[in-house]
Amino acid sequence: MTFYSYNYLKGGQTNWGIVRIAIIALLAVAFLIFLIKYFRNKWDLKYRDLTIILATLLLLAAAIQYSDLTNMHTASVQSGQLTVIIEKSAKKLGVQPESIAINDTSRNTDMLIKTPEGYYQLIFNGSGSEFLLSKVNLYEPDITVVGE
């Protein structure tokens, strides 16, 4: 079972794709260069074809980057919700949030937290605004904590 530490959730799970942004920038520069060459040499069709190919690649790369950006935003919001849950759990248990790990990166109904005192199950109310901590004993736990 994999648990994720408070610091891991606070710092974010994904790396920002600087390489992808650099590729998009290079494609945009190449597109502009071939577009200018095409307008200067209207009878040379190779520049038109290269401009169309680069425009297609640029749009594809931008769409992929936008999709990844929205996924990263969703993951960031979910991590923010989990850090609030960890902070509330730490306050209820009287421990530091940094000593708590949670078993999922998105909020669901079967969540466990790992504390120095043991393992607890989070039982949410109907609206999901509050939760109950119930101590549990795991049978032969194979625990990995990400972010420690």
Side-chain angles (χ1 to χ4, degrees):
M1 185 179 298
T2 304
F3 281 80
Y4 302 92
S5 72
Y6 176 76
N7 292 329
Y8 177 79
L9 294 171
K10 197 95 164 141
Q13 306 92 286
T14 58
N15 296 329
W16 184 232
I18 303 236
V19 173
R20 284 188 252 160
I21 292 173
I23 289 171
I24 290 173
L26 288 173
L27 284 172
V29 168
F31 170 75
L32 290 175
I33 289 170
F34 285 118
L35 187 65
I36 290 169
K37 285 190 178 224
Y38 169 66
F39 283 134
R40 286 189 182 165
N41 305 313
K42 288 208 181 216
W43 296 109
D44 199 354
L45 296 180
K46 71 178 178 186
Y47 293 122
R48 183 193 68 177
D49 294 343
L50 287 171
T51 303
I52 291 170
I53 290 169
L54 283 173
T56 305
L57 287 174
L58 183 62
L59 287 174
L60 179 65
I64 291 170
Q65 186 65 24
Y66 177 76
S67 173
D68 288 346
L69 184 66
T70 56
N71 289 342
M72 187 175 65
H73 175 69
T74 302
S76 175
V77 168
Q78 289 176 348
S79 292
Q81 291 173 348
L82 291 179
T83 56
V84 169
I85 290 171
I86 290 175
E87 289 166 355
K88 285 183 177 180
S89 300
K91 186 176 180 182
K92 288 181 180 182
L93 296 171
V95 297
Q96 294 295 319
E98 291 80 13
S99 66
I100 294 180
I102 198 160
N103 74 328
D104 206 342
T105 57
S106 61
R107 194 175 142 200
N108 61 45
T109 56
D110 299 324
M111 296 181 75
L112 297 174
I113 60 171
K114 177 184 176 296
T115 67
E117 287 84 29
Y119 299 94
Y120 291 87
Q121 181 180 11
L122 295 167
I123 303 168
F124 290 95
N125 66 356
S127 65
S129 60
E130 290 296 323
F131 59 88
L132 173 70
L133 289 170
S134 174
K135 189 162 178 89
V136 294
N137 293 318
L138 298 180
Y139 177 72
E140 295 182 17
D142 182 21
I143 303 298
T144 305
V145 178
V146 178
E148 274 191 337

